[in-house]
Amino acid sequence: MLTHPVETTVPRLSLDDCRRPGSPFYDQVRAAAHGNGLEPRALTVRTLLHLPRVAGYRGSLSRRQIETELHHSGKGLHRDQTEIQSLIPFKEFALQDLRFVEYDAGKAAAVLSRLHYLRSARPGSRNFALVDPIDGLPVSLCSVSPLEWVRVGRQLHSQFQVPRERAWDISRVYSFDVAPKNAISYLLAKVRNVFRIEMRDVDLLTTAVDPNLGFTGTSYRSANWQHWMSIQARPYLYVDRRYASPRQLRERFGTANLVELKARPGVLIEQSRAKLLDSMIFCCRVRGETESVPLDDLRVLRR
């Protein structure tokens, strides 16, 4: 039985407060996760994804709103973890003991479609993982896909002379809480080496980092990736109180047009109201050094 999180004495928090490590929100997450056998990191991200749905225009949240969203996110995460229990690692290993492999697509999809905050796997991806040396369970994994973001591709071509068809995207990353320090940056370095050797038609790797979910890009910086541009934030969308990406809306309903969706009977469509932070696009050249971009040259692209 999933228990409710421990109440905090802080009456209200902002979205900025909740994104900040060490805030009372993180204390609530740890209490809820440890009391219910949940991955704290996954619970944090999943809850941060849903807090903007109930936050006011200024990003303010009541204690009760946070507790409610944390409880709903915990129930969903508990259900998702149970469905793929056999793929979840519980043993801790040193980084040098983990094996780097190209990971099975079906198993990667099972993990990503249930535990990644987007709850989906990108078709046509190559999947890589650091797996434990005994059971072969994925400790950290990622999917790499041809870059589909047209606006980013245009900017890469015009500013950095990299054609979009020669760029691939780290479209999904997930790391279990047993992963050792620097596991993601180590995984990224291994993936870059595979592309350097095997993918002669690929010159660049990209990824999007969403700071609204508490991500800062530290693992990418540690792997010598550079922040090359940003993307203007747009409101998060929710179907029946659960987050849905525009891609998921199109797959489910055939459209991501809010006017059309809101006119459909029996479908509750909502969008966040508070101002969200822009996403950061990090890049890494497959061969040679990845140059840094001066602050004055960092472009903020429209959606």
Side-chain angles (χ1 to χ4, degrees):
M1 178 70 67
L2 193 72
T3 59
H4 283 274
V6 176
E7 291 191 1
T8 175
T9 58
V10 178
R12 296 191 75 84
L13 292 174
S14 68
L15 288 174
D16 283 338
D17 292 330
C18 293
R19 299 173 190 129
R20 191 176 300 118
S23 75
F25 167 72
Y26 278 76
D27 293 335
Q28 285 181 275
V29 169
R30 282 192 294 270
H34 293 154
N36 296 289
L38 303 175
E39 291 264 313
R41 192 181 315 171
L43 181 58
T44 299
V45 174
R46 190 174 293 205
T47 307
L48 286 173
L49 185 65
H50 288 91
L51 287 180
R53 185 184 70 83
V54 296
Y57 285 101
R58 296 185 179 181
S60 178
L61 294 150
S62 71
R63 178 180 64 184
R64 178 54 60 188
Q65 286 174 318
I66 295 173
E67 290 169 352
T68 299
E69 292 305 316
L70 182 56
H71 183 65
H72 287 321
S73 294
K75 286 179 64 178
L77 181 57
H78 183 270
R79 182 173 55 251
D80 289 334
Q81 285 187 184
T82 300
E83 289 181 357
I84 57 164
Q85 195 70 32
S86 63
L87 292 175
I88 297 179
F90 294 98
K91 301 173 184 176
E92 295 187 15
F93 295 90
L95 185 60
Q96 62 269 22
D97 293 331
L98 299 176
R99 294 188 297 112
F100 171 74
V101 299
E102 183 153 4
Y103 197 60
D104 178 79
K107 293 179 180 178
V111 172
L112 296 172
S113 64
R114 289 169 178 83
L115 299 186
H116 190 273
Y117 68 91
L118 290 176
R119 303 191 79 248
S120 65
R122 182 77 64 83
S125 301
R126 294 186 69 178
N127 302 284
F128 300 91
L130 299 177
V131 301
D132 76 55
I134 297 177
D135 301 312
L137 296 174
V139 173
S140 295
L141 69 156
C142 69
S143 293
V144 196
S145 321
L147 179 64
E148 296 181 357
W149 212 334
V150 175
R151 200 171 295 269
V152 172
R154 288 173 180 166
Q155 190 65 30
L156 289 175
H157 198 184
S158 63
Q159 187 176 358
F160 303 98
Q161 294 73 57
V162 178
R164 180 165 68 98
E165 61 270 18
R166 297 189 69 86
W168 276 51
D169 185 46
I170 306 287
S171 53
R172 300 287 187 272
V173 175
Y174 189 82
S175 195
F176 288 92
D177 284 348
V178 297
K181 185 179 179 181
N182 299 323
I184 293 178
S185 57
Y186 182 73
L187 173 62
L188 293 170
K190 291 288 190 180
V191 170
R192 178 180 184 251
N193 194 50
V194 169
F195 272 70
R196 181 181 61 81
I197 296 172
E198 299 181 9
M199 306 286 282
R200 301 302 302 179
D201 58 344
V202 177
D203 295 328
L204 190 76
L205 297 174
T206 72
T207 199
V209 173
D210 188 348
N212 298 290
L213 305 180
F215 299 134
T216 62
T218 299
S219 296
Y220 292 95
R221 292 187 175 95
S222 297
N224 298 313
W225 289 52
Q226 299 291 339
H227 178 198
W228 273 12
M229 66 190 78
S230 294
I231 300 287
Q232 282 186 347
R234 62 184 172 195
Y236 287 164
L237 304 176
Y238 304 90
V239 178
D240 298 329
R241 298 183 175 86
R242 296 293 90 188
Y243 175 82
S245 69
R247 179 194 296 271
Q248 290 166 335
L249 290 175
R250 287 190 292 270
E251 291 175 353
R252 180 175 174 183
F253 300 106
T255 181
N257 185 288
L258 291 184
V259 175
E260 294 181 21
L261 291 172
K262 288 181 178 181
R264 297 194 180 192
V267 180
L268 175 62
I269 301 293
E270 299 172 278
Q271 62 183 48
S272 59
R273 296 169 292 174
K275 180 176 175 56
L276 298 176
L277 304 173
D278 295 340
S279 291
M280 299 174 285
I281 303 299
F282 281 81
C283 298
C284 178
R285 292 194 182 273
V286 173
R287 298 165 193 86
E289 185 178 353
T290 305
E291 66 272 28
S292 61
V293 177
L295 187 61
D296 291 344
D297 293 334
L298 278 175
R299 302 289 184 263
V300 180
L301 308 183
R302 290 180 176 273
R303 286 276 182 172

